[in-house]
Amino acid sequence: MKNIIYVLMIILFSCSTSKVNVVNKKDLDCSWLLGTWKIVDKEDYEKWSKISPTEFMGVSYDMSLGTATIKENMRIYKSDKNWIYEARLKVDSVMTTTAFIRNADPIWNFRFVNEKHDFPQIIQYKMNADSSMTAQILDLKASKVINFNYLKVKSK
């Protein structure tokens, strides 16, 4: 009987001390993101397309001059165990690419973090109950936060 108690104690102890990382186990559901989104009260848009089950492409553009001026190319893809958000834009006539790693969050559908980037360090998106979308870029301390409120103008 003592042996059984010792074995149970060892099993319980080993289970309680083991670390389990389930943050990125679940695949992203990007289906709601697909289509064209317009920032409320602006002529700025984001258009998202599905390339494969593990890759999505987006483009941010401005239509205020009557033609599309591309501001940024985005990509969400699965790399090994992590989902990556990649932003590609022109800074001082040079194309730069910055990658952010998914950090699951109970409020935001997508939350990606790059602690080494100057700004933003966090990029996050969520679908709202009224079928609008909120995107947010911020620093790690949330001392600088920029919100973008979108309405869907075209599906897929």
Side-chain angles (χ1 to χ4, degrees):
M1 184 69 170
K2 274 187 175 180
N3 290 340
I4 293 174
I5 292 173
Y6 288 128
V7 169
L8 287 174
M9 286 177 54
I10 290 170
I11 291 171
L12 287 172
F13 180 73
S14 66
C15 289
S16 65
T17 60
S18 66
K19 290 185 178 181
V20 178
N21 183 5
V22 294
V23 172
N24 292 324
K25 283 256 187 215
K26 186 178 178 186
D27 277 343
L28 287 182
D29 175 15
C30 294
S31 59
W32 63 271
L33 182 64
L34 303 178
T36 303
W37 297 85
K38 181 184 182 296
I39 294 180
V40 175
D41 297 329
K42 288 190 173 185
E43 289 300 316
D44 289 347
Y45 296 81
E46 274 191 21
K47 182 176 182 177
W48 286 92
S49 302
K50 182 178 183 176
I51 305 303
S52 75
T54 58
E55 183 176 12
F56 302 85
M57 298 290 284
V59 63
S60 170
Y61 57 96
D62 178 357
M63 289 294 293
S64 62
L65 299 176
T67 59
T69 303
I70 296 176
K71 296 166 53 174
E72 182 177 11
N73 290 299
M74 293 98 51
R75 181 176 167 222
I76 297 173
Y77 63 96
K78 191 167 189 178
S79 172
D80 297 323
K81 296 178 185 177
N82 292 311
W83 282 88
I84 307 294
Y85 179 101
E86 192 175 81
R88 189 167 192 247
L89 62 146
K90 193 179 283 190
V91 178
D92 298 326
S93 301
V94 177
M95 291 304 287
T96 61
T97 302
T98 306
F100 298 79
I101 298 173
R102 180 178 179 220
N103 185 325
D105 185 270
I107 297 171
W108 295 89
N109 297 87
F110 308 145
R111 184 174 197 266
F112 298 91
V113 178
N114 180 337
E115 294 179 10
K116 294 178 183 175
H117 192 249
D118 55 352
F119 184 83
Q121 294 169 317
I122 301 171
I123 298 174
Q124 45 196 20
Y125 287 81
K126 71 176 174 180
M127 178 69 142
N128 301 312
D130 64 357
S131 297
S132 66
M133 175 177 74
T134 301
Q136 191 177 73
I137 59 174
L138 61 152
D139 61 6
L140 291 173
K141 296 177 183 176
S143 59
K144 184 176 182 182
V145 179
I146 302 173
N147 288 300
F148 303 93
N149 297 307
Y150 291 89
L151 296 175
K152 193 171 239 183
V153 293
K154 187 177 178 186
S155 294
K156 300 178 189 180

